[in-house]
Every structure is written in C-alpha cells, then in structure tokens.
Amino acid sequence: MIRTVFDDVNQLTWFLGGSPKRTAILKRHLPDAKQVDYLVGDTDDEKVESNINIANAFSKSLLPKLCETRWSARVDTLSVILAKYKAVLASLEDVRKESTATEARTKATAFIHMMEKSTFVVAIVIAHHILSYTKPLSLALQNAKCDVFKAFTGAQTCKKVVAAQRSDEVFNRCIWMKAAAIAESIDIELGKPRTVGRMRHRANAAFSDDSVHGYYRVNAYFPFVDHCLNELNERFPEQTRPSFLAFQLLPCRLQNITEEEIADIQVRYEEDMPDSPRVC
C-alpha cells in the first residue's frame, strides 16, 4: 500500500505539471485553497512534525513534482497535497471537463478515483507522517558540509523518534484523525479493502477487531514504521559508533572529545595499534 503510493503521487504530479494548460488550472485552485483542519494530533507539550510541514505548505502556490532520489523533497510534495487535497482534486475535475485530449480526460478521471480511495488517503498520511521525522536526517546527509559524526548521532535520535511513533495512541491521534478529516472534506467515508481468510497479494494480518482503523493500523502503519526502522538500523547500526567516533580525533575536534569516547575508540582499533598483541 505505502510502496505504491509514491508511484501514484509521482504520476499525479507529473500529469498536473506536464502541460501549460493543466499547470494553469492547478494555479487557479491552489492559491485560494481553504485551510482545512488537518492539523490534528498536537499536544500542549509537542507539535507533530508532519503538522508543521503541512502548515508551511499552505502558503505554496505550486505542487512540486515528486523527486525520486531526494527523500526530503518527497515530504514537500506530500505536504502540499495534504494541505490542499480538495484543491488538487478540484483541479483534476477541471482538467477532465476542460481538456480536449481524450487521454488527458481519461487520466484525470483515473486520478480522481485514486484520490477518492480510502487506501490512498490513509497511505499518503502514513508516509508523510513518518517521513516528516526522517526529513531532518536526509537534509543533514545531503549537506555538502555534512558532519559525519553529527549525522550518525542524528540517525540514532531519528531511530528513537520513529520507534516512538509505533503505538496505537499515535496512530489514532496523528494518522486516523487526519485521514478522517481529509475524507470528510471530500465527502467520502473511509473503508477497508475486502478481506478473506487467506490472501496472497495484499496485507491481511489479523487484528483484534474488525474495524477499519484497526485494519490500517496493523496492515499499513505498523509495517511501514518497522520498514523504516529496519532501513535505518541497516544503514546506521549502533555497532559502528566507535568507527564514527574516530572522526573526533581530527585536530579541529580534539577539544570536544571525552574520556569515554577515547576508550571506545581504543577498544575499536586495539588490534590496529602498533604495540597491540597480534594473534598469529
């Protein structure tokens, strides 16, 4: 479900920006789009990161095309779609009515049906919420002046933050309420795909109740969080921390190194030291 949403959004953004006429229609709707109360889930102590991105996207007058290589840019595209979901849908409606090309009308109709599907609404909210927490790490790694050790430390923090999102409370507060608000704004009711006892081509994990939100929590949200955590753990395993600590030995960093870090570096590179005993 989440895997295909990026392909769908990629095709949608390139379709709307693929011709001057369609771009003009989009510009006609986006600047005047009314703000819908999607910014649910904030608490008195913490602002939800995805809400910050959506709030910033309300001022955008264009829908950026989805970038296949820069993950931070994907968050920007999803933010605009979520902030102006109804306006994007209205743009597609106008393309279907005003376009003289049969292919364009057909594609616009297909995209309208796609955006009115519950699976798409929930999937885009899930992807945006989790990637909003990985965006700062992506930006740090893309920086030409990237500090390797700080980036590694940031990755460890990112893993903890993403892991903290894996709870029923976060799903209900930050995902389901937002998806429900979007569905209400476009007059659809969230539903789940038809499920049977055994399925080969669609997630069908068992859950305690037969509710719609329970289906998406168990079969979409938790698997995506787990996938992101696995990817982060593979790329930034805690076991490699001493290797990254070696960057603290650079002359410009020596004043900040601690005794504990020196001990970790010594243990990591003990066999490489000139005076260390070697096993023959």
Side-chain angles (χ1 to χ4, degrees), residues 29 37 55 89 92 130-131 138 171 241 246 261 273:
H29 287 278
D37 189 16
L89 203 53
L92 290 170
I130 298 301
L131 294 184
S138 298
F171 175 81
R241 181 176 179 273
E261 291 174 343
M273 298 296 181

Side-chain angles (χ1 to χ4, degrees), residues 16-158:
L16 288 173
S19 78
K21 185 175 181 179
R22 293 196 291 268
T23 301
I25 292 174
L26 188 62
K27 288 181 178 179
R28 193 166 68 206
H29 287 278
L30 289 190
D32 299 327
K34 295 181 180 179
Q35 294 191 17
V36 182
D37 189 16
Y38 300 153
L39 308 183
V40 293
D42 287 338
T43 64
D44 294 336
D45 300 326
E46 180 186 8
K47 292 287 186 181
V48 177
E49 194 70 27
S50 56
N51 286 350
I52 297 174
N53 290 323
I54 292 176
N56 293 335
F58 277 123
S59 61
K60 303 293 184 181
S61 58
L62 289 175
L63 175 60
K65 294 182 177 68
L66 188 78
C67 180
E68 296 184 1
T69 56
R70 298 178 71 90
W71 282 84
S72 58
R74 294 189 176 202
V75 178
D76 298 335
T77 301
L78 297 181
S79 297
V80 175
I81 293 177
L82 290 176
K84 306 190 176 187
Y85 202 94
K86 194 172 183 178
V88 174
L89 203 53
S91 300
L92 290 170
E93 291 280 4
D94 283 358
V95 171
R96 181 171 63 176
K97 294 176 182 177
E98 300 176 15
S99 180
T100 56
T102 303
E103 183 181 1
R105 293 198 303 270
T106 302
K107 286 186 176 181
T109 302
F111 285 128
I112 290 170
H113 292 328
M114 178 191 76
M115 292 189 68
E116 290 178 343
K117 285 184 178 180
S118 301
T119 51
F120 181 82
V121 173
V122 177
I124 197 173
V125 171
I126 291 173
H128 179 261
H129 179 74
I130 298 301
L131 294 184
S132 291
Y133 288 104
T134 63
K135 180 181 178 180
L137 177 61
S138 298
L139 292 175
L141 293 172
Q142 292 167 2
N143 194 327
K145 298 181 180 180
C146 175
D147 185 310
V148 176
F149 183 68
K150 286 184 178 179
F152 178 80
T153 304
Q156 304 310 308
T157 303
C158 181

Side-chain angles (χ1 to χ4, degrees), residues 205-273:
F207 48 98
S208 57
D209 54 16
D210 195 35
S211 64
V212 177
H213 83 280
Y215 171 84
Y216 288 109
R217 183 185 70 248
V218 174
N219 290 285
Y221 182 61
F222 286 171
F224 185 65
V225 174
D226 293 339
H227 169 73
C228 291
L229 285 174
N230 287 335
E231 293 294 319
L232 287 169
N233 284 323
E234 284 186 9
R235 287 163 173 75
F236 305 98
E238 180 63 30
Q239 297 88 329
T240 60
R241 181 176 179 273
S243 300
F244 284 98
L245 276 175
F247 284 92
Q248 297 293 81
L249 296 176
L250 293 172
C252 60
R253 299 177 180 276
L254 279 175
Q255 68 273 16
N256 299 323
I257 198 168
T258 65
E259 293 293 333
E260 181 183 357
E261 291 174 343
I262 293 175
D264 289 341
I265 294 172
Q266 186 175 6
V267 171
R268 170 64 178 83
Y269 293 100
E270 184 176 5
E271 293 184 359
D272 299 321
M273 298 296 181

